[in-house]
Amino acid sequence: MKGLPVNLFKTFIFSTILAIAANSIYYAYIQRNLTQDYQHAVPLITGGTFFLTIILTIMASPMLFLANINFWNIVWVRLLLYFSGSIVFVVTVLLMPLSMLNKLFDLITGAIFILVHFFFYVRTVKKAR
């Protein structure tokens, strides 16, 4: 499984871009009736999303152990190593005492990361067959 670091990097890049777009749309929707200056909000959204995606990427890094073919051949170990960090992030966000706006921001970022990560997981499994 030589392509795992590349998949993790692609997941980071694509999920960062998609999450910035989704969080910007979410912010614009929440602030639609208020006179808000979006010029100051976009850098904050971009920075917050970028750092959350870095955290998610670090939490997903145990997937790199799947380069060992013994781990790859056991399906439940493969799923555990590939998705456990991202799922723990989402569960932690749900359990933390955050405001609903912050929770949704974090959950949007986490959900997009998991979806992009799942896309590359499916491609990797198909390629390995």
Side-chain angles (χ1 to χ4, degrees):
M1 304 314 333
K2 297 176 184 176
L4 291 174
V6 174
N7 282 352
L8 188 60
F9 181 72
K10 286 179 185 178
T11 300
F12 170 73
I13 296 297
F14 291 131
S15 64
T16 300
I17 293 168
L18 292 172
I20 288 170
N23 284 324
S24 296
I25 292 169
Y26 167 66
Y27 180 79
Y29 177 76
I30 294 298
Q31 301 293 330
R32 68 186 179 280
N33 293 332
L34 304 173
T35 55
Q36 198 60 265
D37 186 16
Y38 295 115
Q39 186 176 11
H40 298 290
V42 173
L44 293 173
I45 291 169
T46 303
T49 303
F50 180 74
F51 286 117
L52 281 175
T53 311
I54 287 174
I55 291 168
L56 280 160
T57 303
I58 291 169
M59 292 181 77
S61 64
M63 70 166 281
L64 298 174
F65 288 112
L66 292 174
N68 183 342
I69 198 72
N70 295 327
F71 291 146
W72 180 264
N73 289 332
I74 305 169
V75 176
W76 69 270
V77 172
R78 182 177 4 154
L79 290 171
L80 182 71
L81 287 174
Y82 212 90
F83 293 108
S84 62
S86 308
I87 292 172
V88 167
F89 176 84
V90 169
V91 170
T92 303
V93 167
L94 289 172
L95 296 177
M96 286 184 66
L98 299 171
S99 70
M100 188 52 84
L101 296 176
N102 288 338
K103 246 182 214 193
L104 287 175
F105 183 87
D106 295 351
L107 289 174
I108 289 170
T109 305
I112 289 174
F113 186 89
I114 289 172
L115 289 173
V116 172
H117 204 46
F118 179 74
F119 172 76
F120 285 113
Y121 172 77
V122 170
R123 285 187 54 193
T124 305
V125 169
K126 284 184 181 178
K127 195 183 292 185
R129 287 185 185 169

